[in-house]
Amino acid sequence: MTERVWRILAVLAAIAMALLMGAAVGGTGVYALTRAKGMLSVVTAQDVDPEMGIVIAAVEPDSPAAEAGIVRGDILQAIDEQPLEEWEDLRRHLESLEPGDRVELSVLHGDEQRSLTGVLGERGGQAYLGVTACCEVPWRASVHVMGEPGSMIVDVVSGSPAEEAGLQPGDVVVALDGQKVDEEHTLAD
């Protein structure tokens, strides 16, 4: 074959390669945009993310949460119309309330959305609901008692060494084996 034929074949191969690459990139882009558009419309159509909330790992018997109808496995999504994304959101809201205050609770129970009403209890002089969140680490709560840092116990598991030692919810651990509990030396450490 002549040199001219080889040049024509090379140009045609380059054009074909460019067309294939363009089609692949363009097709991927169109696919991604149509998928994203579908996902964006789902997100904007909802006021509250159905997965948002605090997964309840435990409900204390005879607690305000139990009396309101919250059960283990529920997802607490809002309290007094304040969305909850993490345990801290609930803790901050409870700090602004008093024992005996009524609260409106938005709970996802399986696929069923429930609106419940509860009356807050009192523990250690503060309002409490009586739930333990999934992945919550109760003993990491850092508090200061009369200027001393420590970790407040918010729950004691029945039959645990903590219960056998006489620890109760509301107690504050300020030292463990002679080591002070503070921001640098947490109870978990």
PDB file of all heavy atoms in Angstrom, residues 102-138:
ATOM      1  N   ARG A 102     -43.904  18.920  79.012  1.00  0.00           N
ATOM      2  CA  ARG A 102     -44.463  18.057  77.975  1.00  0.00           C
ATOM      3  C   ARG A 102     -43.642  18.218  76.714  1.00  0.00           C
ATOM      4  O   ARG A 102     -43.258  19.332  76.350  1.00  0.00           O
ATOM      5  CB  ARG A 102     -45.890  18.477  77.658  1.00  0.00           C
ATOM      6  CG  ARG A 102     -46.936  17.722  78.354  1.00  0.00           C
ATOM      7  CD  ARG A 102     -48.323  18.156  77.867  1.00  0.00           C
ATOM      8  NE  ARG A 102     -49.222  17.099  77.582  1.00  0.00           N
ATOM      9  CZ  ARG A 102     -49.462  16.050  78.334  1.00  0.00           C
ATOM     10  NH1 ARG A 102     -48.812  15.884  79.434  1.00  0.00           N
ATOM     11  NH2 ARG A 102     -50.337  15.141  78.002  1.00  0.00           N
ATOM     12  N   VAL A 103     -43.374  17.115  76.035  1.00  0.00           N
ATOM     13  CA  VAL A 103     -42.647  17.164  74.771  1.00  0.00           C
ATOM     14  C   VAL A 103     -43.411  16.393  73.702  1.00  0.00           C
ATOM     15  O   VAL A 103     -44.055  15.398  73.993  1.00  0.00           O
ATOM     16  CB  VAL A 103     -41.209  16.597  74.906  1.00  0.00           C
ATOM     17  CG1 VAL A 103     -40.326  17.517  75.721  1.00  0.00           C
ATOM     18  CG2 VAL A 103     -41.201  15.201  75.484  1.00  0.00           C
ATOM     19  N   GLU A 104     -43.335  16.912  72.490  1.00  0.00           N
ATOM     20  CA  GLU A 104     -43.905  16.235  71.330  1.00  0.00           C
ATOM     21  C   GLU A 104     -42.765  15.500  70.643  1.00  0.00           C
ATOM     22  O   GLU A 104     -41.725  16.088  70.344  1.00  0.00           O
ATOM     23  CB  GLU A 104     -44.544  17.244  70.372  1.00  0.00           C
ATOM     24  CG  GLU A 104     -45.705  18.011  70.977  1.00  0.00           C
ATOM     25  CD  GLU A 104     -46.859  17.111  71.393  1.00  0.00           C
ATOM     26  OE1 GLU A 104     -47.183  16.164  70.641  1.00  0.00           O
ATOM     27  OE2 GLU A 104     -47.419  17.351  72.472  1.00  0.00           O
ATOM     28  N   LEU A 105     -42.966  14.211  70.392  1.00  0.00           N
ATOM     29  CA  LEU A 105     -41.918  13.366  69.830  1.00  0.00           C
ATOM     30  C   LEU A 105     -42.357  12.835  68.473  1.00  0.00           C
ATOM     31  O   LEU A 105     -43.472  12.328  68.332  1.00  0.00           O
ATOM     32  CB  LEU A 105     -41.626  12.200  70.770  1.00  0.00           C
ATOM     33  CG  LEU A 105     -41.296  12.581  72.220  1.00  0.00           C
ATOM     34  CD1 LEU A 105     -41.398  11.374  73.139  1.00  0.00           C
ATOM     35  CD2 LEU A 105     -39.918  13.199  72.277  1.00  0.00           C
ATOM     36  N   SER A 106     -41.488  12.952  67.495  1.00  0.00           N
ATOM     37  CA  SER A 106     -41.733  12.374  66.180  1.00  0.00           C
ATOM     38  C   SER A 106     -40.867  11.129  66.079  1.00  0.00           C
ATOM     39  O   SER A 106     -39.637  11.210  66.155  1.00  0.00           O
ATOM     40  CB  SER A 106     -41.370  13.377  65.084  1.00  0.00           C
ATOM     41  OG  SER A 106     -41.574  12.792  63.822  1.00  0.00           O
ATOM     42  N   VAL A 107     -41.520   9.972  65.905  1.00  0.00           N
ATOM     43  CA  VAL A 107     -40.828   8.686  65.956  1.00  0.00           C
ATOM     44  C   VAL A 107     -41.163   7.869  64.719  1.00  0.00           C
ATOM     45  O   VAL A 107     -42.318   7.794  64.307  1.00  0.00           O
ATOM     46  CB  VAL A 107     -41.256   7.903  67.226  1.00  0.00           C
ATOM     47  CG1 VAL A 107     -40.633   6.529  67.262  1.00  0.00           C
ATOM     48  CG2 VAL A 107     -40.902   8.683  68.476  1.00  0.00           C
ATOM     49  N   LEU A 108     -40.135   7.262  64.141  1.00  0.00           N
ATOM     50  CA  LEU A 108     -40.337   6.318  63.050  1.00  0.00           C
ATOM     51  C   LEU A 108     -40.284   4.923  63.664  1.00  0.00           C
ATOM     52  O   LEU A 108     -39.268   4.517  64.213  1.00  0.00           O
ATOM     53  CB  LEU A 108     -39.254   6.491  61.986  1.00  0.00           C
ATOM     54  CG  LEU A 108     -39.433   5.685  60.709  1.00  0.00           C
ATOM     55  CD1 LEU A 108     -40.728   6.071  59.995  1.00  0.00           C
ATOM     56  CD2 LEU A 108     -38.248   5.911  59.780  1.00  0.00           C
ATOM     57  N   HIS A 109     -41.416   4.226  63.614  1.00  0.00           N
ATOM     58  CA  HIS A 109     -41.542   2.876  64.175  1.00  0.00           C
ATOM     59  C   HIS A 109     -41.716   1.931  62.991  1.00  0.00           C
ATOM     60  O   HIS A 109     -42.809   1.829  62.427  1.00  0.00           O
ATOM     61  CB  HIS A 109     -42.743   2.809  65.121  1.00  0.00           C
ATOM     62  CG  HIS A 109     -42.954   1.457  65.723  1.00  0.00           C
ATOM     63  ND1 HIS A 109     -42.206   0.988  66.760  1.00  0.00           N
ATOM     64  CD2 HIS A 109     -43.833   0.467  65.408  1.00  0.00           C
ATOM     65  CE1 HIS A 109     -42.618  -0.224  67.090  1.00  0.00           C
ATOM     66  NE2 HIS A 109     -43.597  -0.565  66.272  1.00  0.00           N
ATOM     67  N   GLY A 110     -40.620   1.276  62.586  1.00  0.00           N
ATOM     68  CA  GLY A 110     -40.673   0.490  61.351  1.00  0.00           C
ATOM     69  C   GLY A 110     -40.874   1.451  60.197  1.00  0.00           C
ATOM     70  O   GLY A 110     -40.110   2.387  60.021  1.00  0.00           O
ATOM     71  N   ASP A 111     -41.939   1.255  59.432  1.00  0.00           N
ATOM     72  CA  ASP A 111     -42.271   2.171  58.340  1.00  0.00           C
ATOM     73  C   ASP A 111     -43.360   3.159  58.742  1.00  0.00           C
ATOM     74  O   ASP A 111     -43.798   3.960  57.928  1.00  0.00           O
ATOM     75  CB  ASP A 111     -42.745   1.381  57.112  1.00  0.00           C
ATOM     76  CG  ASP A 111     -41.614   0.598  56.471  1.00  0.00           C
ATOM     77  OD1 ASP A 111     -40.458   1.040  56.588  1.00  0.00           O
ATOM     78  OD2 ASP A 111     -41.890  -0.443  55.852  1.00  0.00           O
ATOM     79  N   GLU A 112     -43.801   3.089  59.979  1.00  0.00           N
ATOM     80  CA  GLU A 112     -44.903   3.929  60.446  1.00  0.00           C
ATOM     81  C   GLU A 112     -44.387   5.165  61.185  1.00  0.00           C
ATOM     82  O   GLU A 112     -43.593   5.054  62.117  1.00  0.00           O
ATOM     83  CB  GLU A 112     -45.791   3.110  61.395  1.00  0.00           C
ATOM     84  CG  GLU A 112     -46.943   3.879  61.981  1.00  0.00           C
ATOM     85  CD  GLU A 112     -47.679   3.067  63.044  1.00  0.00           C
ATOM     86  OE1 GLU A 112     -47.407   1.861  63.206  1.00  0.00           O
ATOM     87  OE2 GLU A 112     -48.515   3.679  63.726  1.00  0.00           O
ATOM     88  N   GLN A 113     -44.843   6.335  60.737  1.00  0.00           N
ATOM     89  CA  GLN A 113     -44.493   7.584  61.414  1.00  0.00           C
ATOM     90  C   GLN A 113     -45.473   7.794  62.566  1.00  0.00           C
ATOM     91  O   GLN A 113     -46.677   7.700  62.378  1.00  0.00           O
ATOM     92  CB  GLN A 113     -44.598   8.758  60.436  1.00  0.00           C
ATOM     93  CG  GLN A 113     -44.089  10.056  60.988  1.00  0.00           C
ATOM     94  CD  GLN A 113     -42.581  10.058  61.163  1.00  0.00           C
ATOM     95  OE1 GLN A 113     -41.855   9.603  60.304  1.00  0.00           O
ATOM     96  NE2 GLN A 113     -42.124  10.567  62.282  1.00  0.00           N
ATOM     97  N   ARG A 114     -44.945   8.027  63.776  1.00  0.00           N
ATOM     98  CA  ARG A 114     -45.794   8.229  64.948  1.00  0.00           C
ATOM     99  C   ARG A 114     -45.508   9.573  65.578  1.00  0.00           C
ATOM    100  O   ARG A 114     -44.374  10.015  65.634  1.00  0.00           O
ATOM    101  CB  ARG A 114     -45.533   7.150  65.995  1.00  0.00           C
ATOM    102  CG  ARG A 114     -45.950   5.770  65.592  1.00  0.00           C
ATOM    103  CD  ARG A 114     -45.703   4.781  66.700  1.00  0.00           C
ATOM    104  NE  ARG A 114     -46.196   3.466  66.349  1.00  0.00           N
ATOM    105  CZ  ARG A 114     -46.027   2.402  67.105  1.00  0.00           C
ATOM    106  NH1 ARG A 114     -45.383   2.490  68.251  1.00  0.00           N
ATOM    107  NH2 ARG A 114     -46.507   1.238  66.724  1.00  0.00           N
ATOM    108  N   SER A 115     -46.561  10.212  66.076  1.00  0.00           N
ATOM    109  CA  SER A 115     -46.432  11.435  66.877  1.00  0.00           C
ATOM    110  C   SER A 115     -46.837  11.063  68.293  1.00  0.00           C
ATOM    111  O   SER A 115     -47.966  10.639  68.530  1.00  0.00           O
ATOM    112  CB  SER A 115     -47.352  12.530  66.343  1.00  0.00           C
ATOM    113  OG  SER A 115     -46.912  12.932  65.062  1.00  0.00           O
ATOM    114  N   LEU A 116     -45.895  11.200  69.231  1.00  0.00           N
ATOM    115  CA  LEU A 116     -46.127  10.813  70.616  1.00  0.00           C
ATOM    116  C   LEU A 116     -45.937  12.023  71.522  1.00  0.00           C
ATOM    117  O   LEU A 116     -45.239  12.968  71.170  1.00  0.00           O
ATOM    118  CB  LEU A 116     -45.149   9.705  71.024  1.00  0.00           C
ATOM    119  CG  LEU A 116     -45.116   8.457  70.135  1.00  0.00           C
ATOM    120  CD1 LEU A 116     -43.979   7.542  70.554  1.00  0.00           C
ATOM    121  CD2 LEU A 116     -46.439   7.718  70.187  1.00  0.00           C
ATOM    122  N   THR A 117     -46.552  11.962  72.686  1.00  0.00           N
ATOM    123  CA  THR A 117     -46.392  13.016  73.682  1.00  0.00           C
ATOM    124  C   THR A 117     -45.851  12.386  74.954  1.00  0.00           C
ATOM    125  O   THR A 117     -46.304  11.320  75.362  1.00  0.00           O
ATOM    126  CB  THR A 117     -47.751  13.701  73.984  1.00  0.00           C
ATOM    127  OG1 THR A 117     -48.260  14.229  72.757  1.00  0.00           O
ATOM    128  CG2 THR A 117     -47.584  14.819  74.977  1.00  0.00           C
ATOM    129  N   GLY A 118     -44.871  13.040  75.552  1.00  0.00           N
ATOM    130  CA  GLY A 118     -44.295  12.545  76.785  1.00  0.00           C
ATOM    131  C   GLY A 118     -44.142  13.658  77.804  1.00  0.00           C
ATOM    132  O   GLY A 118     -44.129  14.838  77.459  1.00  0.00           O
ATOM    133  N   VAL A 119     -44.038  13.270  79.066  1.00  0.00           N
ATOM    134  CA  VAL A 119     -43.771  14.210  80.156  1.00  0.00           C
ATOM    135  C   VAL A 119     -42.408  13.842  80.713  1.00  0.00           C
ATOM    136  O   VAL A 119     -42.191  12.703  81.143  1.00  0.00           O
ATOM    137  CB  VAL A 119     -44.858  14.123  81.254  1.00  0.00           C
ATOM    138  CG1 VAL A 119     -44.521  15.067  82.398  1.00  0.00           C
ATOM    139  CG2 VAL A 119     -46.232  14.431  80.666  1.00  0.00           C
ATOM    140  N   LEU A 120     -41.487  14.795  80.672  1.00  0.00           N
ATOM    141  CA  LEU A 120     -40.110  14.521  81.081  1.00  0.00           C
ATOM    142  C   LEU A 120     -40.001  14.206  82.556  1.00  0.00           C
ATOM    143  O   LEU A 120     -40.687  14.798  83.382  1.00  0.00           O
ATOM    144  CB  LEU A 120     -39.215  15.719  80.742  1.00  0.00           C
ATOM    145  CG  LEU A 120     -39.087  16.028  79.257  1.00  0.00           C
ATOM    146  CD1 LEU A 120     -38.275  17.293  79.060  1.00  0.00           C
ATOM    147  CD2 LEU A 120     -38.464  14.861  78.517  1.00  0.00           C
ATOM    148  N   GLY A 121     -39.131  13.267  82.865  1.00  0.00           N
ATOM    149  CA  GLY A 121     -38.848  12.913  84.248  1.00  0.00           C
ATOM    150  C   GLY A 121     -37.691  13.742  84.786  1.00  0.00           C
ATOM    151  O   GLY A 121     -37.184  14.642  84.110  1.00  0.00           O
ATOM    152  N   GLU A 122     -37.265  13.398  85.986  1.00  0.00           N
ATOM    153  CA  GLU A 122     -36.168  14.121  86.628  1.00  0.00           C
ATOM    154  C   GLU A 122     -35.094  13.127  87.038  1.00  0.00           C
ATOM    155  O   GLU A 122     -35.362  12.071  87.592  1.00  0.00           O
ATOM    156  CB  GLU A 122     -36.698  14.861  87.864  1.00  0.00           C
ATOM    157  CG  GLU A 122     -35.659  15.713  88.557  1.00  0.00           C
ATOM    158  CD  GLU A 122     -34.919  14.966  89.658  1.00  0.00           C
ATOM    159  OE1 GLU A 122     -35.528  14.072  90.284  1.00  0.00           O
ATOM    160  OE2 GLU A 122     -33.734  15.256  89.859  1.00  0.00           O
ATOM    161  N   ARG A 123     -33.867  13.462  86.711  1.00  0.00           N
ATOM    162  CA  ARG A 123     -32.722  12.648  87.106  1.00  0.00           C
ATOM    163  C   ARG A 123     -31.566  13.597  87.380  1.00  0.00           C
ATOM    164  O   ARG A 123     -31.168  14.349  86.507  1.00  0.00           O
ATOM    165  CB  ARG A 123     -32.339  11.666  86.013  1.00  0.00           C
ATOM    166  CG  ARG A 123     -31.100  10.877  86.408  1.00  0.00           C
ATOM    167  CD  ARG A 123     -30.768   9.778  85.462  1.00  0.00           C
ATOM    168  NE  ARG A 123     -31.738   8.704  85.645  1.00  0.00           N
ATOM    169  CZ  ARG A 123     -32.023   7.793  84.746  1.00  0.00           C
ATOM    170  NH1 ARG A 123     -31.432   7.832  83.586  1.00  0.00           N
ATOM    171  NH2 ARG A 123     -32.899   6.840  84.996  1.00  0.00           N
ATOM    172  N   GLY A 124     -31.082  13.553  88.592  1.00  0.00           N
ATOM    173  CA  GLY A 124     -29.969  14.427  88.956  1.00  0.00           C
ATOM    174  C   GLY A 124     -30.315  15.892  88.814  1.00  0.00           C
ATOM    175  O   GLY A 124     -29.455  16.688  88.473  1.00  0.00           O
ATOM    176  N   GLY A 125     -31.571  16.241  89.025  1.00  0.00           N
ATOM    177  CA  GLY A 125     -31.996  17.636  88.925  1.00  0.00           C
ATOM    178  C   GLY A 125     -32.226  18.109  87.505  1.00  0.00           C
ATOM    179  O   GLY A 125     -32.512  19.282  87.294  1.00  0.00           O
ATOM    180  N   GLN A 126     -32.106  17.222  86.535  1.00  0.00           N
ATOM    181  CA  GLN A 126     -32.285  17.605  85.137  1.00  0.00           C
ATOM    182  C   GLN A 126     -33.399  16.787  84.498  1.00  0.00           C
ATOM    183  O   GLN A 126     -33.709  15.688  84.937  1.00  0.00           O
ATOM    184  CB  GLN A 126     -30.990  17.393  84.363  1.00  0.00           C
ATOM    185  CG  GLN A 126     -29.850  18.251  84.866  1.00  0.00           C
ATOM    186  CD  GLN A 126     -28.586  18.017  84.064  1.00  0.00           C
ATOM    187  OE1 GLN A 126     -28.437  17.033  83.358  1.00  0.00           O
ATOM    188  NE2 GLN A 126     -27.653  18.945  84.186  1.00  0.00           N
ATOM    189  N   ALA A 127     -33.971  17.362  83.431  1.00  0.00           N
ATOM    190  CA  ALA A 127     -35.005  16.663  82.681  1.00  0.00           C
ATOM    191  C   ALA A 127     -34.382  15.488  81.934  1.00  0.00           C
ATOM    192  O   ALA A 127     -33.271  15.576  81.430  1.00  0.00           O
ATOM    193  CB  ALA A 127     -35.655  17.619  81.686  1.00  0.00           C
ATOM    194  N   TYR A 128     -35.088  14.366  81.927  1.00  0.00           N
ATOM    195  CA  TYR A 128     -34.594  13.216  81.171  1.00  0.00           C
ATOM    196  C   TYR A 128     -35.754  12.488  80.522  1.00  0.00           C
ATOM    197  O   TYR A 128     -36.905  12.571  80.956  1.00  0.00           O
ATOM    198  CB  TYR A 128     -33.752  12.292  82.052  1.00  0.00           C
ATOM    199  CG  TYR A 128     -34.492  11.145  82.692  1.00  0.00           C
ATOM    200  CD1 TYR A 128     -34.304   9.854  82.237  1.00  0.00           C
ATOM    201  CD2 TYR A 128     -35.380  11.353  83.738  1.00  0.00           C
ATOM    202  CE1 TYR A 128     -34.986   8.802  82.815  1.00  0.00           C
ATOM    203  CE2 TYR A 128     -36.058  10.311  84.321  1.00  0.00           C
ATOM    204  CZ  TYR A 128     -35.868   9.030  83.855  1.00  0.00           C
ATOM    205  OH  TYR A 128     -36.541   7.989  84.417  1.00  0.00           O
ATOM    206  N   LEU A 129     -35.413  11.776  79.430  1.00  0.00           N
ATOM    207  CA  LEU A 129     -36.407  11.048  78.654  1.00  0.00           C
ATOM    208  C   LEU A 129     -36.354   9.560  78.943  1.00  0.00           C
ATOM    209  O   LEU A 129     -37.377   8.895  78.950  1.00  0.00           O
ATOM    210  CB  LEU A 129     -36.187  11.327  77.163  1.00  0.00           C
ATOM    211  CG  LEU A 129     -37.237  10.867  76.184  1.00  0.00           C
ATOM    212  CD1 LEU A 129     -38.613  11.433  76.524  1.00  0.00           C
ATOM    213  CD2 LEU A 129     -36.849  11.261  74.772  1.00  0.00           C
ATOM    214  N   GLY A 130     -35.159   9.014  79.179  1.00  0.00           N
ATOM    215  CA  GLY A 130     -35.033   7.596  79.508  1.00  0.00           C
ATOM    216  C   GLY A 130     -34.745   6.703  78.330  1.00  0.00           C
ATOM    217  O   GLY A 130     -35.206   5.567  78.291  1.00  0.00           O
ATOM    218  N   VAL A 131     -33.974   7.217  77.356  1.00  0.00           N
ATOM    219  CA  VAL A 131     -33.591   6.402  76.211  1.00  0.00           C
ATOM    220  C   VAL A 131     -32.070   6.340  76.119  1.00  0.00           C
ATOM    221  O   VAL A 131     -31.369   7.238  76.579  1.00  0.00           O
ATOM    222  CB  VAL A 131     -34.152   6.953  74.877  1.00  0.00           C
ATOM    223  CG1 VAL A 131     -35.670   6.875  74.849  1.00  0.00           C
ATOM    224  CG2 VAL A 131     -33.675   8.361  74.608  1.00  0.00           C
ATOM    225  N   THR A 132     -31.589   5.254  75.532  1.00  0.00           N
ATOM    226  CA  THR A 132     -30.177   5.130  75.209  1.00  0.00           C
ATOM    227  C   THR A 132     -30.099   4.989  73.703  1.00  0.00           C
ATOM    228  O   THR A 132     -30.761   4.127  73.125  1.00  0.00           O
ATOM    229  CB  THR A 132     -29.550   3.893  75.883  1.00  0.00           C
ATOM    230  OG1 THR A 132     -29.699   4.012  77.294  1.00  0.00           O
ATOM    231  CG2 THR A 132     -28.073   3.777  75.543  1.00  0.00           C
ATOM    232  N   ALA A 133     -29.312   5.854  73.085  1.00  0.00           N
ATOM    233  CA  ALA A 133     -29.189   5.836  71.630  1.00  0.00           C
ATOM    234  C   ALA A 133     -28.207   4.763  71.197  1.00  0.00           C
ATOM    235  O   ALA A 133     -27.260   4.448  71.913  1.00  0.00           O
ATOM    236  CB  ALA A 133     -28.724   7.200  71.134  1.00  0.00           C
ATOM    237  N   CYS A 134     -28.453   4.222  70.030  1.00  0.00           N
ATOM    238  CA  CYS A 134     -27.518   3.267  69.443  1.00  0.00           C
ATOM    239  C   CYS A 134     -26.201   3.981  69.221  1.00  0.00           C
ATOM    240  O   CYS A 134     -26.168   5.111  68.759  1.00  0.00           O
ATOM    241  CB  CYS A 134     -28.071   2.773  68.115  1.00  0.00           C
ATOM    242  SG  CYS A 134     -27.093   1.483  67.366  1.00  0.00           S
ATOM    243  N   CYS A 135     -25.118   3.339  69.589  1.00  0.00           N
ATOM    244  CA  CYS A 135     -23.762   3.884  69.457  1.00  0.00           C
ATOM    245  C   CYS A 135     -23.483   5.003  70.435  1.00  0.00           C
ATOM    246  O   CYS A 135     -22.441   5.629  70.374  1.00  0.00           O
ATOM    247  CB  CYS A 135     -23.465   4.364  68.039  1.00  0.00           C
ATOM    248  SG  CYS A 135     -23.662   3.069  66.813  1.00  0.00           S
ATOM    249  N   GLU A 136     -24.392   5.284  71.340  1.00  0.00           N
ATOM    250  CA  GLU A 136     -24.132   6.277  72.366  1.00  0.00           C
ATOM    251  C   GLU A 136     -23.170   5.671  73.376  1.00  0.00           C
ATOM    252  O   GLU A 136     -23.244   4.500  73.701  1.00  0.00           O
ATOM    253  CB  GLU A 136     -25.433   6.656  73.083  1.00  0.00           C
ATOM    254  CG  GLU A 136     -25.207   7.555  74.253  1.00  0.00           C
ATOM    255  CD  GLU A 136     -26.408   7.612  75.168  1.00  0.00           C
ATOM    256  OE1 GLU A 136     -27.457   7.071  74.821  1.00  0.00           O
ATOM    257  OE2 GLU A 136     -26.260   8.194  76.237  1.00  0.00           O
ATOM    258  N   VAL A 137     -22.256   6.458  73.845  1.00  0.00           N
ATOM    259  CA  VAL A 137     -21.324   6.008  74.863  1.00  0.00           C
ATOM    260  C   VAL A 137     -21.617   6.837  76.109  1.00  0.00           C
ATOM    261  O   VAL A 137     -21.051   7.899  76.305  1.00  0.00           O
ATOM    262  CB  VAL A 137     -19.857   6.191  74.401  1.00  0.00           C
ATOM    263  CG1 VAL A 137     -18.906   5.583  75.396  1.00  0.00           C
ATOM    264  CG2 VAL A 137     -19.660   5.587  73.026  1.00  0.00           C
ATOM    265  N   PRO A 138     -22.565   6.391  76.970  1.00  0.00           N
ATOM    266  CA  PRO A 138     -23.017   7.212  78.072  1.00  0.00           C
ATOM    267  C   PRO A 138     -21.907   7.707  78.986  1.00  0.00           C
ATOM    268  O   PRO A 138     -21.958   8.817  79.456  1.00  0.00           O
ATOM    269  CB  PRO A 138     -23.974   6.299  78.837  1.00  0.00           C
ATOM    270  CG  PRO A 138     -24.380   5.255  77.867  1.00  0.00           C
ATOM    271  CD  PRO A 138     -23.218   5.095  76.929  1.00  0.00           C
TER     272      PRO A 138
END
